[in-house]
């Protein structure tokens, strides 16, 4: 059975109750579910929606929130050290394969948590962050978000955002364009010296949500050697946006493959960040998607690449 790497979930951020951990919780992601689904690496985001914090104290409060989530991540990794392994390098992924443990990769959703202080990006790297999305759904110090408003969508990165992309390249932190404006995407495509990713985005040609990527973007991402993680959210899979079905996931994957090639395919479930009627509502059900993709015409080589090979190639190029 194929082992996979999932580029995005919000589980650790959502573990609000004191007694909740990654063995005992009411969330989509648990250690037992990861093991049952044959997860190789699960990415856990520190989700801090900076635009929802009051401006006078935003820079202070959002960084404090990020730090608390990072502390929680560290405690959980220590608590579950028998089952989880912290992923900081490509070599760590190899160790996960050898040990049978599930890799835990730490990410940031909304790099606006750094405010206007570059040294905070370095601190985030020291805390284990290896992927960071430049924005969430609001303007931040780096740039502008995806939006149904054309005037917002065409805006690019701010000067500080351009600086942070360069700094992420230097540190060895993957630049994530999911949630970014179209203008910001093209800025990243222009200046990023290493492959970049869209951790949890689908095809806009298949479903016209602004969070999804146009065919032109998919081709540009592929040309840069990057990947895009299939998002399981109903709104990104169908125009109705109520149900998340395997058939619609397959439809998106086949289109993305036809546009950008099989090398751009990856997984970004968004578990514990999505709601609705979900056919795959747990990592334990990932083999169902694998079976459906093979039946739809993906070769076993293409599936292996989508499940882990493509993103490992990106990590080899990006991480130091």
């Amino acid at each position: 059975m194929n082992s996979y790497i999932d580029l995005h979930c919000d589980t650790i951020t959502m573990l609000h109750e004191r007694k909740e951990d990654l063995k005992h919780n009411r969330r989509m992601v648990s250690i037992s579910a990861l093991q049952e689904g044959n997860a190789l690496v699960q990415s856990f985001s520190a989700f801090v929606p900076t635009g929802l914090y009051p401006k006078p104290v935003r820079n202070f409060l959002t960084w404090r929130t990020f730090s608390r989530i990072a502390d929680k991540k560290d405690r959980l990794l220590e608590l579950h050290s028998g089952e989880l392994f912290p992923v900081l390098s490509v070599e760590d992924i190899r160790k996960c394969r050898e040990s049978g443990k599930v890799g835990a990769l730490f990410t940031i959703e909304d790099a606006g948590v750094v405010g206007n202080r570059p040294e905070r990006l370095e601190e985030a790297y020291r805390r284990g962050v290896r992927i960071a999305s430049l924005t969430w759904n609001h303007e931040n110090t780096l740039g502008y978000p995806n939006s149904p408003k054309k005037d917002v969508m065409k805006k690019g990165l701010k000067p500080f955002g351009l600086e942070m992309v360069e700094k992420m390249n230097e540190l060895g932190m993957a630049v994530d364009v999911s949630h970014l404006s179209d203008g910001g995407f093209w800025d990243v495509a222009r200046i990023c010296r290493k492959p970049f990713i869209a951790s949890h985005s689908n095809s806009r040609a298949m479903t016209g949500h602004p969070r999804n990527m146009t065919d032109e973007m998919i081709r540009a991402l592929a040309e840069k050697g990057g990947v895009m993680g299939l998002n399981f959210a109903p709104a990104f899979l169908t125009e109705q946006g109520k149900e998340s079905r395997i058939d619609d996931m397959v439809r998106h994957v086949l289109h993305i493959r036809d546009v950008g090639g099989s090398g751009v395919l990856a997984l970004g479930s968004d578990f514990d960040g999505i709601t609705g009627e979900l056919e795959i509502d747990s990592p334990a059900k990932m083999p169902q998607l694998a079976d459906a993709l093979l039946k739809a015409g993906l070769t076993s080589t293409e599936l292996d690449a989508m499940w882990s090979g493509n993103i490992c190639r990106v990590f080899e190029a990006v991480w130091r």
Side-chain angles (χ1 to χ4, degrees), residues 35-81:
Q35 292 170 333
E36 186 175 348
N38 201 27
L40 175 61
V41 175
Q42 177 63 60
S43 300
F44 293 99
S45 75
F47 170 47
V48 187
T50 59
L52 298 180
Y53 287 73
K55 281 188 176 181
V57 290
R58 180 174 297 168
N59 288 350
F60 168 74
L61 288 181
T62 56
W63 183 251
R64 185 176 70 175
T65 300
F66 163 75
S67 299
R68 288 177 173 174
I69 296 170
D71 290 342
K72 182 191 300 183
K73 177 264 301 182
D74 291 342
R75 290 195 299 271
L76 290 173
L77 285 176
E78 182 177 359
L79 177 65
H80 304 305
S81 60

